[in-house]
PDB file of all heavy atoms in Angstrom:
ATOM      1  N   VAL B 105     110.408  82.723 116.115  1.00  0.00           N
ATOM      2  CA  VAL B 105     111.811  82.316 116.179  1.00  0.00           C
ATOM      3  C   VAL B 105     112.634  83.239 115.294  1.00  0.00           C
ATOM      4  O   VAL B 105     112.287  83.479 114.130  1.00  0.00           O
ATOM      5  CB  VAL B 105     111.983  80.853 115.714  1.00  0.00           C
ATOM      6  CG1 VAL B 105     113.459  80.454 115.733  1.00  0.00           C
ATOM      7  CG2 VAL B 105     111.166  79.918 116.608  1.00  0.00           C
ATOM      8  N   LEU B 108     118.137  83.560 112.791  1.00  0.00           N
ATOM      9  CA  LEU B 108     119.509  83.094 113.044  1.00  0.00           C
ATOM     10  C   LEU B 108     119.692  82.486 114.425  1.00  0.00           C
ATOM     11  O   LEU B 108     120.833  82.296 114.863  1.00  0.00           O
ATOM     12  CB  LEU B 108     120.501  84.260 112.861  1.00  0.00           C
ATOM     13  CG  LEU B 108     120.567  84.889 111.470  1.00  0.00           C
ATOM     14  CD1 LEU B 108     121.576  86.022 111.446  1.00  0.00           C
ATOM     15  CD2 LEU B 108     120.887  83.851 110.413  1.00  0.00           C
ATOM     16  N   GLU B 121     123.001  88.833 113.265  1.00  0.00           N
ATOM     17  CA  GLU B 121     122.317  89.578 112.211  1.00  0.00           C
ATOM     18  C   GLU B 121     122.838  91.004 112.130  1.00  0.00           C
ATOM     19  O   GLU B 121     123.055  91.538 111.030  1.00  0.00           O
ATOM     20  CB  GLU B 121     120.802  89.587 112.458  1.00  0.00           C
ATOM     21  CG  GLU B 121     120.021  90.289 111.359  1.00  0.00           C
ATOM     22  CD  GLU B 121     118.525  90.311 111.611  1.00  0.00           C
ATOM     23  OE1 GLU B 121     118.113  90.256 112.792  1.00  0.00           O
ATOM     24  OE2 GLU B 121     117.770  90.385 110.622  1.00  0.00           O
ATOM     25  N   SER B 203      63.835 112.580  88.802  1.00  0.00           N
ATOM     26  CA  SER B 203      64.792 112.386  89.907  1.00  0.00           C
ATOM     27  C   SER B 203      65.834 113.497  89.869  1.00  0.00           C
ATOM     28  O   SER B 203      65.853 114.329  88.947  1.00  0.00           O
ATOM     29  CB  SER B 203      65.487 111.022  89.789  1.00  0.00           C
ATOM     30  OG  SER B 203      66.482 111.043  88.786  1.00  0.00           O
ATOM     31  N   GLU B 221      74.524 127.765  99.500  1.00  0.00           N
ATOM     32  CA  GLU B 221      75.280 128.041 100.726  1.00  0.00           C
ATOM     33  C   GLU B 221      75.706 126.733 101.407  1.00  0.00           C
ATOM     34  O   GLU B 221      76.829 126.604 101.901  1.00  0.00           O
ATOM     35  CB  GLU B 221      74.445 128.884 101.686  1.00  0.00           C
ATOM     36  CG  GLU B 221      75.217 129.304 102.933  1.00  0.00           C
ATOM     37  CD  GLU B 221      74.426 130.244 103.826  1.00  0.00           C
ATOM     38  OE1 GLU B 221      73.285 130.612 103.459  1.00  0.00           O
ATOM     39  OE2 GLU B 221      74.944 130.602 104.901  1.00  0.00           O
ATOM     40  N   ALA B 260      70.448 115.138  93.622  1.00  0.00           N
ATOM     41  CA  ALA B 260      71.030 116.314  92.962  1.00  0.00           C
ATOM     42  C   ALA B 260      72.252 116.815  93.731  1.00  0.00           C
ATOM     43  O   ALA B 260      73.283 117.160  93.133  1.00  0.00           O
ATOM     44  CB  ALA B 260      69.978 117.416  92.851  1.00  0.00           C
ATOM     45  N   THR B 265      78.086 117.443  94.763  1.00  0.00           N
ATOM     46  CA  THR B 265      79.191 117.287  95.714  1.00  0.00           C
ATOM     47  C   THR B 265      80.346 116.515  95.086  1.00  0.00           C
ATOM     48  O   THR B 265      81.515 116.909  95.193  1.00  0.00           O
ATOM     49  CB  THR B 265      78.706 116.551  96.978  1.00  0.00           C
ATOM     50  OG1 THR B 265      77.690 117.335  97.627  1.00  0.00           O
ATOM     51  CG2 THR B 265      79.860 116.321  97.948  1.00  0.00           C
TER      52      THR B 265
END
Side-chain angles (χ1 to χ4, degrees):
V105 178
L108 298 180
E121 183 181 26
S203 76
E221 185 175 358
T265 298

